[in-house]
Amino acid sequence: MTDTTLPLGGAASAGDRWSTSTKLAVVSMAVATFALVSAEFLPAGLLTPMAADLGISEGTAGQVVTATASVGAVAALFANVAIGKLNRKTVLVGLSALAIISNIVAAMATDFWILLLGRAGLGIALSGFWSLSAAVVARLVGVNALGRGMSIIFVGVSLATIAAPSIGAVVSDWFGWRTAMAATAGAAAIAMLLQLVSLPSLPAGKGTTLGEIFRLMSRRGVQLGMLAVLLLVTGHFAGFVYVRAFLEQVTQLPATSVAWALLGYGVASVIGNVVGGRMADTNVRVGLIVTGVTLAVATLALLLWGMHSGTAFGFVALWGFAFGTAPIVLQTNLSRAALDALEASGSLMVVCFQVSIAVGAFVGGAIVDGYGVVGTLAFAAVLAASTMVLALLQPRK
């Protein structure tokens, strides 16, 4: 397998100062993250005009998100096999180029199937990028600073999650949904230029086979790491997809107040990114416990006292903080179990994450239909608490 344990052009430990070139390289990865995730979440703010323009229902238009996630989950398994011994810088630049093309195709789509084709290309770009991200960051800054490096990458995710739906809706109202979609191609172009300029050459080692990826799953640490992702992310998405409904129905907040509560969630998640990076580098096992406890407390407290607006605002923000730490802690936790195969573990991380999103949304919908929105928060709390218990079983790293 590809050996990615040695730093390449970066600091060897979290305490060392990074060179300017290392900082720029990491920032280029963060900008790529922002561009890709913005494109992924953009349809949430464009569904109505996009559906009207293409002559389809809003429910059908919403399937573009499903298409992106589904293609991404499948592509993640084969990403590292397909790229073989290609220089990783070349691959990352190529993935940004694919994102540019995919977003332009989607922006120019004349029917639903062309739109799906563009979104499928985005799914491949997303899965390829995330499969390589931990391995590349480890080579840039060193494995001991992996959490800190990934925290910068995930700031791009948090900012995109906050900005994409709202800004996309505004741009769509002013200039049309196609302009908003095309703007994500521009963001991907900026990311590609930054990668060309700042990333060092990242030659591949021995190629990864699909069999080696599956054999990696036989390791106990990898199994526990994957289970942690499945539990925490499934619980989060089962609950958070319906948090707006909870705030409207239980807390009885008007739309404007809901928007402010979600903004607080987004700001807190950025703070969680920073804290999560520090926890992951210091003691990833403790970081996983803290993340599980915090998410369980936030969702349980909303369930018990969420009818009060002040309490609801506070615990929605705490939820945002917890899930801001989660991807970094989960990624680092899984990576530490496979330091000799970071690219392969990255693929497993993407597959687990995408499956968890799909399962969480499906189970959450079933719970809402059967028990109401409060049921989804109880489910999220149970899975978050289970993640904490699982973390106690993990070896110290």
Side-chain angles (χ1 to χ4, degrees):
M1 287 190 181
T2 302
D3 184 2
T4 52
T5 60
L6 295 177
L8 193 155
S13 69
D16 292 339
R17 293 180 64 86
W18 296 353
S19 67
T20 300
S21 60
T22 297
K23 292 176 183 176
L24 288 174
V26 174
V27 167
S28 77
M29 295 284 287
V31 174
T33 302
F34 175 81
L36 289 167
V37 177
S38 291
E40 181 180 18
F41 288 118
L42 187 65
L46 307 181
L47 284 185
T48 300
M50 188 165 59
D53 187 28
L54 296 176
I56 57 178
S57 69
E58 291 185 12
T60 301
Q63 296 308 308
V64 299
V65 178
T66 304
T68 305
S70 300
V71 171
V74 175
L77 270 180
F78 299 95
N80 291 319
V81 178
I83 61 178
K85 296 184 179 181
L86 289 174
N87 189 293
R88 281 8 184 185
K89 176 179 180 177
T90 302
V91 173
L92 289 170
V93 171
L95 291 171
S96 292
L98 176 59
I100 295 170
I101 295 169
S102 299
N103 289 325
I104 291 174
V105 169
M108 298 177 66
T110 54
D111 60 48
F112 177 64
W113 296 108
I114 295 177
L115 179 63
L116 277 186
L117 178 64
R119 297 297 295 183
L122 178 66
I124 295 172
L126 276 161
S127 66
F129 177 86
W130 285 119
S131 295
L132 291 175
S133 61
V136 169
V137 170
R139 295 177 71 177
L140 292 172
V141 304
V143 292
N144 291 330
L146 179 59
R148 180 181 165 199
M150 291 304 297
S151 72
I152 296 173
I153 305 300
F154 276 98
V155 167
V157 175
S158 296
L159 293 177
T161 304
I162 298 168
S166 55
I167 294 178
V170 171
V171 173
S172 175
D173 288 343
W174 288 355
F175 305 106
W177 72 270
R178 295 179 187 277
T179 301
M181 192 73 75
T184 59
I190 293 172
M192 185 178 72
L193 290 174
L194 285 174
Q195 289 171 331
L196 279 169
V197 171
S198 63
L199 283 178
S201 178
L202 298 164
K206 181 179 177 292
T208 302
T209 66
L210 194 59
E212 288 172 324
I213 293 176
F214 284 119
R215 280 194 292 274
L216 189 63
M217 295 170 61
S218 65
R219 298 185 187 181
R220 182 171 180 269
V222 172
Q223 293 170 349
L224 291 174
M226 292 174 64
L227 184 57
V229 176
L230 291 169
L231 287 173
L232 197 67
V233 178
T234 297
H236 166 77
F237 279 97
F240 192 71
V241 167
Y242 304 98
V243 72
R244 176 170 182 168
F246 178 88
L247 293 173
E248 290 175 339
Q249 297 173 21
V250 177
T251 316
Q252 298 186 334
L253 293 179
T256 303
S257 296
V258 171
W260 281 109
L262 294 179
L263 177 62
Y265 170 95
V267 172
S269 71
V270 174
I271 298 172
N273 291 157
V274 177
V275 175
R278 298 293 181 180
M279 287 195 300
D281 285 338
T282 303
N283 190 320
V284 71
R285 181 169 175 266
V286 171
L288 187 56
I289 293 171
V290 170
T291 299
V293 169
T294 306
L295 187 54
V297 168
T299 48
L300 185 60
L302 275 173
L303 183 65
L304 296 175
W305 302 295
M307 67 288 297
H308 305 296
S309 59
T311 303
F313 269 82
F315 285 111
V316 166
L318 185 63
W319 191 341
F321 173 84
F323 200 69
T325 69
I328 300 147
V329 171
L330 291 169
Q331 176 84 71
T332 306
N333 180 58
L334 182 56
S335 297
R336 292 283 171 85
L339 288 177
D340 59 325
L342 288 177
E343 291 184 3
S345 68
S347 292
L348 294 177
M349 176 73 180
V350 176
V351 172
C352 288
F353 218 93
Q354 297 291 355
V355 169
S356 298
I357 292 172
V359 172
F362 175 79
V363 173
I367 293 173
V368 166
D369 290 343
Y371 304 97
V373 292
V374 296
T376 61
L377 267 66
F379 180 71
V382 169
L383 290 196
S386 299
T387 307
M388 174 197 68
V389 175
L390 178 67
L392 294 173
L393 301 176
Q394 303 233 113
R396 298 181 183 274
K397 302 173 191 169

